[in-house]
Amino acid sequence: MDKRITVLAGDGIGPEIIREAVKVLDRVAAVYGHSFDYTYVDIGGCSIDKYGVPITDEGMQTCLQADSVLLGAVGGPKWDNCPPQIRPEKALLAVRKTLGLFANLRPTKLFPQLAEASPLKASVIGGGIDLLIVRELTGGVYFGKRFTGEEDGEVAAHDDMTYRESEIRRIGRVAFETARLRRGKLASVDKANVLDTSRLWRRIMHELSEEYPDVAYSDILVDNTAMQLIRNPAQFDVIVTENMFGDILSDEASMLTGSIGMMPSASLSDGTLGMYEPIHGSAPDIAGMNIANPLGTILSAAMMLRYSFAMAKEADSIEQAVNTVLDEGYRTGDIWAEGTKKVLCSEMGSLVAGKIG
Ligand code: IPM
Ligand code: MG
């Protein structure tokens, strides 16, 4: 199959990790007889430097016209003082919104080979960590009205948080359907003891749960979830939650697996167009040093093959290759431990590519 991929390498370690994911994709294409055509578009700080905006209109069009989008990371201290309208993150949010990427899947899996890297004791990890966070990605406080100005003689700020029934229902459906394909358990995370948006969220999820009697459904408050993720992560299968709770919980969950550098994500729309990116940031402190962990990006490329291109066996082959390389003891610095072999970012990419086919 011929597929067009728009590549948004971004800032910091973005270009380094993307290079390794492309290396792996090229190998997949060669082995399985596909052709992937890449169009590179600047996003984030690098785009601000060149064009004065974090993504150009043409860049956005290129994303819309692609079969899928692969993203590295955006942002860095250099652009921290940009006005809010042109901050690097703004581009990321704009792409999510423009492409209609409302469903963000963040699998959190502890590779058994990395159990040592997890901050949790083996006794707490128990049966292993294999959960999936389904984060609503185009609503909530991220996209609400903002205001900073004077009120009652002092400066005040507002960030409006809104959810509509239809927005909750469509992410709910993705979560129930996904739970069905996994271990059949779904926890919906909210703050229904305080927020109206959460009360609506909970009501819609309950309605949906009637349609999915085969899925074991429960509600859980977000603060309790933060605690339960540390206390007993094995209890979770699929977690569905609104935009900001999902942002925070997915960072927390990722750490349980030893390194945020391992975690991929998929942002899906109603159709097959999706955006795939590691959940970590641009790590400016190690940018350009060739020591970043490219596995989160490589695993994101695997999700792209699975969800946007329906190439399940190709996706499996990448995931298996990562597993084999870890089995053989290769580690980037973030997951390195005594007795394992430390490799550079580019070496890790080549090792994984070498195991395909
Ligand atoms: C993420 C990131 C983004 C978010 C930032 C960079 C805007 O933290 O993808 O989790 O908050 O969604
Ligand atoms: Mg985040």
Side-chain angles (χ1 to χ4, degrees):
M1 264 190 273
D2 280 8
K3 295 289 180 191
R4 283 161 309 152
I5 304 171
T6 295
V7 182
L8 307 170
D11 306 313
I13 59 170
E16 299 160 53
I17 54 178
I18 283 288
R19 206 171 296 131
E20 301 317 309
V22 168
K23 196 187 271 179
V24 172
L25 283 170
D26 281 343
R27 177 76 189 144
V28 167
V31 169
Y32 292 92
H34 302 302
S35 145
F36 299 140
D37 179 52
Y38 310 97
T39 307
Y40 289 81
V41 168
D42 289 309
I43 189 170
C46 60
S47 176
I48 296 175
D49 289 350
K50 273 196 209 164
Y51 310 109
V53 288
I55 187 164
T56 61
D57 292 343
E58 302 86 84
M60 189 67 88
Q61 281 306 317
T62 309
C63 293
L64 275 166
Q65 284 154 13
D67 293 311
S68 82
V69 180
L70 185 65
L71 175 91
V74 296
K78 181 174 173 200
W79 306 282
D80 273 351
N81 296 318
C82 288
Q85 278 320 304
I86 66 154
R87 281 185 67 95
E89 293 82 358
K90 192 79 194 168
L92 189 55
L93 301 186
V95 173
R96 289 173 180 171
K97 195 72 171 178
T98 307
L99 273 56
L101 308 174
F102 68 91
N104 183 217
L105 310 189
R106 297 191 161 185
T108 301
K109 192 173 149 193
L110 175 62
F111 285 84
Q113 303 93 323
L114 301 183
E116 284 291 302
S118 173
L120 295 186
K121 287 186 281 209
S123 61
V124 177
I125 293 171
I129 304 171
D130 181 7
L131 59 93
L132 174 73
I133 297 180
V134 178
R135 169 187 176 194
E136 200 293 322
L137 203 60
T138 51
V141 75
Y142 273 68
F143 293 94
K145 247 193 243 124
R146 308 204 189 289
F147 166 85
T148 305
E150 196 160 301
E151 271 180 3
D152 303 326
E154 60 181 327
V155 181
H158 304 225
D159 295 286
D160 182 67
M161 178 160 173
T162 303
Y163 266 106
R164 288 172 195 278
E165 221 181 307
S166 55
E167 290 174 300
I168 301 171
R169 200 172 307 263
R170 66 178 179 178
I171 190 72
R173 280 208 189 284
V174 171
F176 276 100
E177 295 289 339
T178 315
R180 228 175 215 178
L181 298 174
R182 290 174 46 103
R183 300 194 301 279
K185 241 179 119 176
L186 176 64
S188 168
V189 173
D190 63 35
K191 188 72 186 170
N193 53 350
V194 177
L195 303 176
D196 264 19
T197 43
S198 281
R199 286 190 269 267
L200 178 63
W201 181 279
R202 194 176 276 210
R203 179 159 73 69
I204 304 292
M205 290 295 165
H206 279 217
E207 280 174 28
L208 281 174
S209 72
E210 306 274 310
E211 288 177 45
Y212 296 86
D214 51 322
V215 173
Y217 173 84
S218 59
D219 309 302
I220 177 166
L221 294 172
V222 62
D223 47 349
N224 186 22
T225 310
M227 185 267 274
Q228 295 294 341
L229 275 171
I230 308 286
R231 197 185 72 86
N232 175 18
Q235 70 183 285
F236 294 108
D237 178 13
V238 179
I239 289 176
V240 62
T241 193
E242 66 88 38
N243 206 342
M244 190 160 70
F245 297 161
D247 178 44
I248 298 168
L249 292 177
S250 59
D251 265 36
E252 183 193 0
S254 73
M255 200 52 223
L256 305 179
T257 70
S259 171
I260 194 170
M262 295 294 299
M263 293 298 109
S265 79
S267 302
L268 308 177
S269 64
D270 274 327
T272 56
L273 179 59
M275 178 162 72
Y276 302 83
E277 57 177 307
I279 82 157
H280 61 72
S282 60
D285 52 321
I286 58 163
M289 295 164 70
N290 196 20
I291 58 169
N293 184 347
L295 293 178
T297 316
I298 290 170
L299 291 168
S300 300
M303 291 186 90
M304 177 174 90
L305 299 183
R306 191 181 303 286
Y307 291 100
S308 280
F309 302 166
M311 295 180 182
K313 65 174 187 304
E314 291 85 339
D316 287 346
S317 78
I318 295 183
E319 285 159 5
Q320 263 158 33
V322 168
N323 207 36
T324 307
V325 166
L326 292 175
D327 271 345
E328 290 177 357
Y330 296 104
R331 305 281 188 272
T332 42
D334 56 321
I335 49 175
W336 180 83
E338 208 64 57
T340 62
K341 296 169 262 196
K342 195 183 276 185
V343 295
L344 297 170
C345 177
S346 56
E347 292 171 321
M348 186 56 107
S350 300
L351 283 162
V352 174
K355 300 288 179 200
I356 310 273

